[in-house]
Amino acid sequence: MKKIHNSKRRSFLTGSAAIAGVAAISSISNFNLNIAKADHSSAAPKATPDYIKWKNRNALIIHSEGTIETHRDMIGNGIITPIENVYIRNNVNSLNDQQIGNRPDWKLEVQGVQKPRTFTLAELQKMPLKITPMVLQCSGNGRKFFAHGPSGTKWDTGSAACVTFSGVSVKYLAELCGGLVAGAKFITGTGADAPKEIDPKEGAVERSVPISTYEDCLLAWEVNGVPIPNAHGGPLRLVVPGYYGINNIKHINKLVFADKESDFKMMSTRYRVYKIGDKPTANDGTCWEMNVKSWITSPLTSAKSGKVVFTGVAFSNGTPLKGVALSFDEGKSWKNAKFVGPNLGKFAWRQFQFEANLEKGNYTVASRATDEKGSQPKLRFENNEGYSHNGWLDHSVKITVA
Ligand SMILES: Nc1nc2c(c(=O)[nH]1)N[C@H]1C(S)=C(S)[C@@H](COP(=O)(O)O)O[C@H]1N2
Ligand SMILES: [Mo]
């Protein structure tokens, strides 16, 4: 089946373009499969790369070897995304078993504390457990909608997942080391996956986050109850709940508390939010906290007339969510959806549901989440790299009700 959301027509801005998009749907042969999960196996013939052969091919859109997204209807309805459906985003290749070696012997160096020391994973695993269900989302999620065509993967909604990380609290670890050095303002994590032939400053995935995250951060070795797979940064990963994907350092082997941000490229000029056509500087905003966002996950293309149940997900940076509303008239009026299922905490997404009675016709349906600080905007915030898109218009779905 040809994927409708691959159509350029979907990045609409005006009513007439929206109608053109709807018209395109009728040319898709099996559009009336309705809410039944689409079979994605033939959508893209590319095979799953060897390092993630265990992934669910049917759930994934393979953009490249290291950029793999989850189909919009394949995150599941169970709040937690099955690990075999979770997206992959590698700046550099994941470490393999041989490079990782014996997992319990993995080493983490801690600096910027009163008594710097190195821990093995086996030691960390004897410490008190911290478990955090949370959204992991790439800052480039939604980049496909940016009209200026930023470089980088053209993610739709699928470089995002809700997973449960288990590990030890960063604060606990620092206190075990006698506490932070005076004046510590940032937490910097470094991944061990840097290519050997490149200067680490250029090639290493090293990021700093504000010390305000201290209480929430963890060093995780499990995701969804299984040891973190190599591709997701095993055996040890820094997790910064509420922050964009890039700050969650895979294969972490160094954790530093300092008064300054890292001056590595991944921090100084990459992941910066700046005007289209400009050059990034370390003074531009960086991809830290996520903004409030939602999207419909079903139906995506078609439904039968009568009662139509819409489902989707909503999340924030941890700011409590107030609700989600749906619009069938491009934002002129909004109707409240309800959250379904348990609340797994402020960093997890909530699944929402809305029941509509729809007559035959073409509909554009938008979802807009609101947290205690505000609502999703209508439009994306234009920026050169296409980061942090939470505009509701681009993320709306066009469905044919027959
Ligand atoms: N060491 C390391 N950490 C990393 C990356 C990487 O390439 N290397 N990619 C980052 C980016 S851009 C994202 S969006 C997330 C992706 O996590 P996932 O592949 O487990 O979904 O990991 C982040 N942490
Ligand atoms: Mo990312």
Side-chain angles (χ1 to χ4, degrees), residues 78 165 172 229 235 256 280:
F165 279 112
Y172 179 89
V256 179

Side-chain angles (χ1 to χ4, degrees), residues 68-229:
I68 292 153
E69 119 165 65
T70 312
H71 280 290
R72 189 160 173 164
D73 58 355
M74 290 300 276
I75 54 175
N77 296 319
I79 308 181
I80 298 299
T81 316
I83 194 67
E84 58 277 13
N85 290 15
V86 174
Y87 82 99
I88 295 272
R89 164 48 170 136
N90 283 336
N91 284 280
V92 288
N93 292 340
S94 302
L95 296 181
N96 59 33
D97 284 340
Q98 205 188 345
Q99 291 164 316
I100 289 169
N102 189 27
R103 282 182 158 234
D105 298 337
W106 180 266
K107 285 183 182 57
L108 175 76
E109 191 186 328
V110 182
Q111 293 175 9
V113 284
Q114 300 299 336
K115 287 176 269 171
R117 59 174 278 202
T118 297
F119 296 90
T120 63
L121 176 60
E123 287 171 318
L124 298 180
Q125 287 176 329
K126 292 193 186 91
M127 295 178 188
L129 197 59
K130 179 162 181 164
I131 306 171
T132 306
M134 53 168 261
V135 174
L136 183 67
Q137 182 190 215
C138 182
S139 39
N141 203 26
R143 183 183 284 127
K144 71 169 255 193
F145 299 110
F146 285 83
H148 69 288
S151 63
T153 306
K154 297 199 171 1
W155 306 108
D156 187 341
T157 58
S159 57
C162 187
V163 293
T164 298
F165 279 112
S166 307
V168 64
S169 152
V170 160
K171 185 181 176 192
Y172 179 89
L173 205 62
E175 284 176 356
L176 209 66
C177 300
L180 304 179
V181 288
K185 289 203 191 81
F186 297 95
I187 305 173
T188 299
T190 314
D193 50 349
K196 296 278 171 289
E197 60 285 4
I198 305 174
D199 175 2
K201 266 191 149 183
E202 294 291 308
V205 179
E206 181 175 290
R207 291 279 301 174
S208 304
V209 292
I211 198 77
S212 57
T213 61
Y214 187 47
E215 307 241 335
D216 294 327
C217 288
L218 61 157
L219 288 150
W221 52 83
E222 259 191 32
V223 63
N224 295 357
V226 294
I228 300 179

Side-chain angles (χ1 to χ4, degrees), residues 256-311:
V256 179
F257 301 92
D259 59 350
K260 286 192 185 65
E261 288 178 18
S262 165
D263 60 357
F264 280 31
K265 188 174 165 189
M266 285 291 168
M267 190 67 212
S268 58
T269 53
R270 298 281 310 277
Y271 297 93
R272 295 280 165 180
V273 179
Y274 57 96
K275 267 187 20 211
I276 296 172
D278 276 7
K279 290 264 171 289
T281 74
N283 294 323
D284 295 311
T286 189
C287 293
W288 274 342
E289 285 177 76
M290 299 192 288
N291 47 29
V292 62
K293 190 168 180 178
S294 70
W295 57 82
I296 290 166
T297 53
S298 174
L300 295 180
T301 56
S302 61
K304 272 213 179 86
S305 60
K307 191 198 263 187
V308 181
V309 180
F310 288 85
T311 57

Side-chain angles (χ1 to χ4, degrees), residues 296 298-299 308-312 326 328 352-354 356 358 365 397 399:
I296 290 166
S298 174
V308 181
V309 180
F310 288 85
T311 57
L326 262 58
F328 293 76
F352 66 81
Q353 188 169 305
F354 181 82
L358 298 181
V365 191
V397 293
I399 58 163

